[in-house]
Amino acid sequence: MRAARFVISLDLELFWGVRDHRRLEDYRVELLGVRRAVPAMLKLFEEYGVMATWATVGMLFCESRDELLASLPRRIPAYRDASLSPYPHIASIGRDEVEDPFHFGLSLVRLIEASPGQEIASHTFSHYYCCEPGQGPAEFEADLEAAVAVAGRRGLRLRSLVFPRNQMRRDYLEICRRLGLEVYRGNPPGWLYRAHDRAQNTGMRRVARLIDSVAPLTGARCVSEGSPLARQPVDVPATRFFRPLATRSAWLARRQRVRICREIDEAVRRGGIYHLWWHPHNFGVGLEAHLSELQYILEHMARWRDAGQLVTATMAEAARQGISDQEGPWASAAW
């Protein structure tokens, strides 16, 4: 049996990812904390030899408001819920990253780019919502075109995509392929994690997902060796959202890390993929406590890695490794 793969992806959004349900004045501390969290996580990743994928909102690549305005997609979505659109919000942002650290992030992108083993990926240009009424494939394609272009100006080729709010659409994958996106983060199986619009994200779903993060509501999960991943773009599905529980409840945090470690064990037994994800702003407050929880998980991962039964990988590398493995399920796919 081949070695399991341990994948981490992070959704780097700053205020663009929360602006439709958070007020900046209420969330500024968490967002400013990203400036400490990103280098701290990179340091920990380097210490443990962890490769990670940083799915970055395209707007963060811009150096200034003027560049952002010049980089807008040729078509923008007309969401039925107008609060979801970031475009009217642009008029109120600052001129650049120095004046406005909530809407610009090129310095963070450069820091990640300079760190060993890290992949910079796409989180769409505008934190685009694929399942919301009022948008369609033409608007999605224009958004991805803008994301690819602004990254290209920084000398970066985007290979992997994370759909904002996990609103993955299979009928949009051909658009991704045409624009060079070869890998995406799909959703875990089951109704709890099925892609849906914001209206369907009910309180019952949220509570059930919280329970599932600390108790085996849906059982241990990983992507097994026999999963049908031979298409391109390649799906490297999420396994578990790493919730910021360390500042809320020590008991819940402990239960979550136990659940994650048991799932890593299952991935090793099955020779599969374990894919953990979160947002850097989740570590924006209580950084040391969250890093301690993460370090516990990385220590567990490292024991399997040192035994030769697990390797770390970015999303793109996990797909590439699988496709090049002639005994694995991806052998028939062209890369």
Side-chain angles (χ1 to χ4, degrees):
M1 181 180 292
R2 65 180 176 184
R5 291 156 175 81
F6 180 74
V7 178
I8 286 178
S9 60
L10 301 106
D11 300 3
L12 181 58
E13 308 166 345
L14 295 181
F15 193 56
W16 297 114
V18 298
R19 48 155 297 280
D20 58 296
H21 64 280
R22 300 273 192 176
R23 296 191 310 166
L24 181 56
E25 53 266 36
D26 296 334
Y27 209 61
R28 61 185 297 117
V29 174
E30 287 84 352
L31 295 174
L32 289 173
V34 172
R35 305 283 167 169
R36 292 179 56 234
V38 169
M41 286 186 284
L42 287 171
K43 181 179 178 181
L44 197 60
F45 291 164
E46 185 170 6
E47 179 182 346
Y48 283 89
V50 171
M51 302 171 72
T53 294
W54 300 73
T56 305
V57 169
M59 290 178 168
L60 297 180
F61 287 85
C62 296
E63 285 190 291
S64 67
R65 184 175 58 206
D66 288 343
E67 183 184 2
L68 174 53
L69 289 170
S71 303
L72 298 185
R74 53 186 172 77
R75 297 179 62 138
I76 61 175
Y79 297 121
R80 184 181 301 169
D81 180 352
S83 71
L84 297 177
S85 177
Y87 294 102
H89 180 71
I90 293 174
S92 65
I93 70 174
R95 289 176 295 181
D96 54 30
E97 191 171 357
V98 173
E99 183 177 297
D100 187 345
F102 308 106
H103 295 94
F104 299 95
L106 185 58
S107 69
L108 295 173
V109 172
R110 290 306 191 197
L111 183 63
I112 296 163
E113 182 188 15
S115 300
Q118 308 304 298
E119 175 192 16
I120 297 174
S122 180
H123 204 30
T124 71
F125 181 78
S126 65
H127 205 256
Y128 188 100
Y129 303 125
C130 294
C131 292
E132 299 295 337
Q135 60 75 43
E139 290 77 21
F140 175 69
E141 183 168 12
D143 185 278
L144 270 195
E145 285 175 348
V148 169
V150 73
R153 289 203 300 271
R154 307 300 177 214
L156 296 167
R157 180 185 171 188
L158 303 176
R159 295 181 182 273
S160 302
L161 171 70
V162 170
F163 289 89
R165 303 277 163 83
N166 299 308
Q167 292 188 8
M168 193 277 291
R169 293 268 304 254
R170 293 198 178 277
D171 54 332
Y172 284 9
L173 293 181
E174 173 59 22
I175 296 170
C176 300
R177 188 195 63 78
R178 288 202 307 268
L179 294 175
L181 279 301
E182 301 162 337
V183 188
Y184 69 98
R185 188 179 77 200
N187 297 342
W191 74 274
L192 274 184
Y193 300 100
R194 190 176 301 125
H196 53 75
D197 61 21
R198 185 165 71 167
Q200 297 180 63
N201 191 30
T202 62
M204 183 177 70
R205 279 182 186 265
R206 293 193 295 271
V207 170
R209 288 195 297 266
L210 173 60
I211 295 171
D212 190 45
S213 68
V214 299
L217 188 63
T218 60
R221 292 198 307 264
C222 73
V223 182
S224 70
E225 189 174 358
S227 296
L229 301 178
R231 296 186 185 90
Q232 197 181 60
V234 176
D235 183 5
V236 180
T239 307
R240 181 69 56 201
F241 172 44
F242 185 36
R243 293 178 178 273
L245 298 176
T247 53
R248 302 178 188 180
S249 164
W251 182 83
L252 286 176
R254 184 169 60 253
R255 294 302 307 164
Q256 176 177 238
R257 70 175 183 247
V258 167
R259 180 135 169 76
I260 289 170
C261 290
R262 286 176 177 170
E263 289 179 325
I264 292 173
D265 295 344
E266 178 67 15
V268 170
R269 281 192 290 271
R270 298 170 63 182
I273 295 176
Y274 190 79
H275 189 166
L276 191 66
W277 72 278
W278 67 95
H279 311 87
H281 62 245
N282 295 143
F283 282 29
V285 171
L287 176 60
E288 289 72 21
H290 297 311
L291 288 175
S292 178
E293 294 295 312
L294 177 59
Q295 186 169 13
Y296 183 98
I297 293 165
L298 297 184
E299 288 278 2
H300 187 82
M301 174 278 300
R303 286 192 285 272
W304 285 118
R305 182 198 59 205
D306 295 346
Q309 297 189 62
L310 178 148
V311 296
T312 75
T314 63
M315 286 173 54
E317 188 63 23
R320 187 177 297 111
Q321 288 171 359
I323 289 169
S324 64
D325 185 343
Q326 295 304 303
E327 296 180 359
W330 299 323
S332 62
W335 189 260

